[in-house]
Amino acid sequence: MSARRFRFGISFRSVGDRDEWVAKCRRAEELGYDVIAVPDHLGEGRAAPLPALAVAAAVTERPRVVPFVLDVPFYNPALLAREVSTVAGVTGGRLDLGLGAGHMKSEFDDAGLPWRPARERVAFLAETVAELRRRLGTGLPPLLIAGNGDLVLDLAAREADIVGFGGLRQAEGEPPGTLTLISPEELHERTTFVRDRAGTRAHELEFNLLVQYVATSGDPKAEIEAWAAPIPGPKPDTGRLLKAPQLLAGTSDEIAATLHERREHYGFSYLTVFEPALETFAPVLRALAGE
């Protein structure tokens, strides 16, 4: 089976005012990004994803848009179906629907919502997917389900078009929502788990990786070490960090070669980077355009 063609997303942590948001979206399109993403977080400066994405699609021509990802326990399934249907329509069919079970207890506390055990949150995610399918039918946008645990990845293997991997897990002994990097071996096991659970539909799945950091300075090793310093738990040595699929370091040509290798090994053909890498990652897009 031939490898999927690469595509690339940019996740904007903030939107700002209208002029700022329009400029960001148009710049992402100009640089060649295929997908504009907005996360679903509470806090000062954080945007509601779906309205922001409706504007993003209105002021661009080509990129798809995706909430990356909706914390499904925040939402009533019937009302969410209405929101999704509306945004899918006004974006001209350019909406992908990113869903997750939620992992930041502090945000649930802030919203006054109960923090349920992971099993219950994933069960609610599964119920919501079923309700969206019932209400929207063929109007349901392409579905991205993201997570790391067995339960959510099993659901993704059965229901999603795109499986999202952040390469992170809950840090042991830390408050809920405190995340740490998983190893390359663990990430490979997670992608294999999804393929095994997907069975005959495994070839239909697209694998997305949320790249946690891109280092393109003259000393990318030092840059990666500085980025990793605050992460909870034992730190892998620099050599291991440079092999972490969630991190990219080097020149644009070196990163492009790395992405070829990781597509072959893990199946990641769809990569999303955070807003700080908007400009510095663009040469990689150009190097891999059409591949």
Side-chain angles (χ1 to χ4, degrees):
M1 181 177 63
S2 61
R4 281 182 176 269
R5 295 177 67 173
F6 283 113
R7 65 176 181 143
F8 299 96
I10 181 72
S11 179
F12 288 107
R13 297 187 181 188
S14 65
V15 168
D17 63 20
R18 184 186 187 282
D19 289 346
E20 181 181 354
W21 182 229
V22 169
K24 286 182 178 184
C25 293
R26 288 178 174 165
R27 182 58 175 161
E29 180 172 37
E30 181 182 21
L31 290 171
Y33 287 91
D34 303 290
V35 183
I36 294 171
V38 176
D40 189 12
H41 291 299
L42 288 181
E44 186 177 354
R46 297 293 196 172
L50 290 173
L53 293 171
V55 173
V59 300
T60 60
E61 297 293 333
R62 184 185 54 82
R64 299 190 65 79
V65 296
V66 62
F68 202 71
V69 294
L70 295 179
D71 282 347
V72 166
F74 287 176
Y75 301 93
N76 172 283
L79 299 181
L80 179 60
R82 181 183 65 176
E83 297 295 313
V84 169
S85 177
T86 301
V87 177
V90 300
T91 59
R94 286 158 56 198
L95 176 70
D96 292 339
L97 182 58
L99 304 177
H103 65 271
M104 297 292 288
K105 180 179 182 298
S106 60
E107 294 182 346
F108 282 72
D109 294 342
D110 187 20
L113 296 171
W115 174 250
R116 306 294 189 192
R119 181 174 295 276
E120 294 182 21
R121 284 180 279 123
V122 176
F124 184 74
L125 172 58
E127 293 166 6
T128 299
V129 170
E131 184 67 3
L132 290 171
R133 288 198 186 283
R134 186 184 75 82
R135 289 179 176 270
L136 301 182
T138 57
L140 181 67
L143 187 60
L144 183 155
I145 296 178
N148 185 64
D150 285 1
L151 293 174
V152 71
L153 290 181
D154 181 65
L155 177 65
R158 291 184 281 110
E159 297 286 350
D161 303 291
I162 308 158
V163 185
F165 299 86
L168 302 172
R169 60 171 170 78
Q170 171 67 35
E172 294 182 9
E174 298 290 339
T178 306
L179 304 177
T180 190
L181 290 174
I182 68 173
S183 69
E185 293 81 10
E186 288 176 283
L187 190 52
H188 186 261
E189 185 277 330
R190 296 286 75 193
T191 58
T192 301
F193 175 90
V194 171
R195 288 192 187 91
D196 289 345
R197 294 301 176 98
T200 57
R201 69 184 300 266
H203 70 281
E204 301 172 10
L205 298 177
E206 183 177 29
F207 282 3
N208 171 272
L209 179 64
L210 179 58
V211 176
Q212 299 296 324
Y213 193 74
V214 181
T216 57
S217 69
D219 190 356
K221 291 182 180 180
E223 194 177 343
I224 288 287
E225 287 178 338
W227 175 85
I231 296 176
K235 302 296 184 299
D237 61 34
T238 305
R240 291 279 289 173
L241 281 173
L242 292 173
K243 293 179 181 178
Q246 313 91 310
L247 308 176
L248 293 172
T251 66
S252 58
D253 287 342
E254 289 169 340
I255 290 175
T258 295
L259 292 179
H260 276 116
E261 294 169 1
R262 292 176 181 171
R263 181 175 62 179
E264 178 68 23
H265 185 62
Y266 300 95
F268 296 129
S269 59
Y270 175 11
L271 291 299
T272 301
V273 300
F274 287 116
E275 181 176 354
L278 173 69
E279 300 286 344
T280 57
F281 191 71
V284 180
L285 272 68
R286 291 194 290 272
L288 294 174
E291 293 194 23

